[in-house]
Structures are given as structure tokens and as C-alpha cells.
Amino acid sequence: FSSGEDGIARLSESGASTEPYTPKNSFIPQCFFYTARALHLGILASSSSYTYLTRQVNHQLYSLRQRNAQVSSDPNFNHILTIQYANEVTTLNPDLITDALRFLGTSAGFLVGLGTEELGRMPEFMVDDLCEMLTFCARMAPKTLASAAVGMGGYQPIFRVVVTLLSPAHASIVR
């Protein structure tokens, strides 16, 4: 579904098909799209929250230092810092990040292999998540990003899907 409160935006509104998708074996595609959605709602939402918390901690620290206040005795700062550390444990887990990057690399390979019409039917968040995860890892976990790249043979599929979407042939499906 692509409309309503729980709707999922597609890469192209013209790519929305009126005929239902009925393959012989729907289990594998369902698992693929459920996993993509779970990453979108899970680790990628968590990464945005972690980035926000990091900014908030840095801002609070700067404010406290400007007032020459004692950082260790400020309850608000300590509370925010505790939340940041709790998020850091899961969000920056190298195994979780590596697995997410592997799946996103597989997703990118899948997206690159699609034609223009089929690509337009894909959920918009899939492409957003590719870029967001790479940006997050480059800022917050560069060593994990580098080691994951070696383990999966580089990020060529991810960069290829971005270049494909920016090409003149696919410009019509990108909003």
C-alpha cells in the first residue's frame, strides 16, 4: 500500500501498479521487504536518535563549559550522557552494523538490476536507508565501515544504485 497514514512512499508515483503482486513463491520477497522495513524502523531510526543525542550532549557540554559549571555534577547532562551511552551499546555494535551493511549492499545489487518501471515501484526508504547508513557509519563508526567493506568486497553496488538513480535515464523516477 502506498497511501494513507501507514503508506510507504515509492520512488516514483507513476510506478505504482494497480495489479497485485502474485509470484509463485512469495516467501522470499516478503522476507526481503520485511527485513528492509525492519532495518528502516530499527537500526536506522536508532542511528538518527543516536546522532541527535550526540549533538545534544556536545551542546550541553559546551554550555556548561561556557558557564564554568561542574560537568560531573550537572544532573541534566549526566542523564543525557547516560541515554547516549545506552544507545551507543546497541547502535554502534560492529556486528549489527556489518550485518546491516551487508543487507543494504544486497539491496543495492537488487535495485541496480531492476528496470526503470520496476525501480519506480520500490519503496523510497530503501534508497534513503542506503545513503543514511553510509553517512552514519562514516561519521560514527569509520573503522567498522572500512572492515565491513573489506568483508563484502566493497561498496560498489551501493554507489552504483546512487549513480543509476542520478543518471538521465532514471531522472524521471527520482523526486
Side-chain angles (χ1 to χ4, degrees):
F1 55 94
S2 61
S3 63
E5 189 176 303
D6 295 328
I8 297 173
R10 307 281 178 209
L11 283 173
S12 169
E13 290 304 318
S14 63
S17 176
T18 56
E19 58 188 67
Y21 176 68
T22 54
K24 268 187 189 178
N25 179 0
S26 64
F27 179 72
I28 293 172
Q30 283 179 343
C31 288
F32 176 78
F33 286 106
Y34 284 150
T35 303
R37 188 72 173 159
L39 282 176
H40 176 70
L41 297 173
I43 189 169
L44 287 150
S46 179
S47 69
S48 294
S49 174
Y50 179 77
T51 302
Y52 172 75
L53 281 169
T54 302
R55 286 185 188 138
Q56 196 173 7
V57 164
N58 289 334
H59 176 73
Q60 188 77 18
L61 182 62
Y62 176 79
S63 280
L64 290 170
R65 287 187 175 159
Q66 290 298 85
R67 295 182 303 198
N68 290 326
Q70 186 67 15
V71 175
S72 60
S73 65
D74 185 68
N76 189 34
F77 178 77
N78 288 328
H79 177 70
I80 295 169
L81 192 61
T82 303
I83 293 170
Q84 182 199 14
Y85 286 157
N87 275 330
E88 188 173 310
V89 169
T90 55
T91 307
L92 295 180
N93 180 329
D95 293 333
L96 182 65
I97 290 174
T98 301
D99 289 345
L101 287 170
R102 281 189 191 134
F103 179 81
L104 291 171
T106 301
S107 297
F110 168 73
L111 292 173
V112 166
L114 296 176
T116 304
E117 186 177 323
E118 293 83 16
L119 188 59
R121 292 182 186 155
M122 293 299 109
E124 192 176 90
F125 71 80
M126 289 179 72
V127 177
D128 289 343
D129 291 351
L130 292 170
C131 298
E132 188 176 327
M133 188 66 172
L134 283 178
T135 304
F136 174 76
C137 290
R139 288 183 182 151
M140 302 293 184
K143 289 180 182 177
T144 305
L145 180 65
S147 65
V150 171
M152 58 188 249
Y155 294 108
Q156 195 170 10
I158 295 174
F159 293 124
R160 278 197 345 228
V161 78
V162 172
V163 169
T164 299
L165 288 170
L166 294 174
S167 71
H170 292 85
S172 63
I173 66 169
V174 179
R175 291 186 225 191

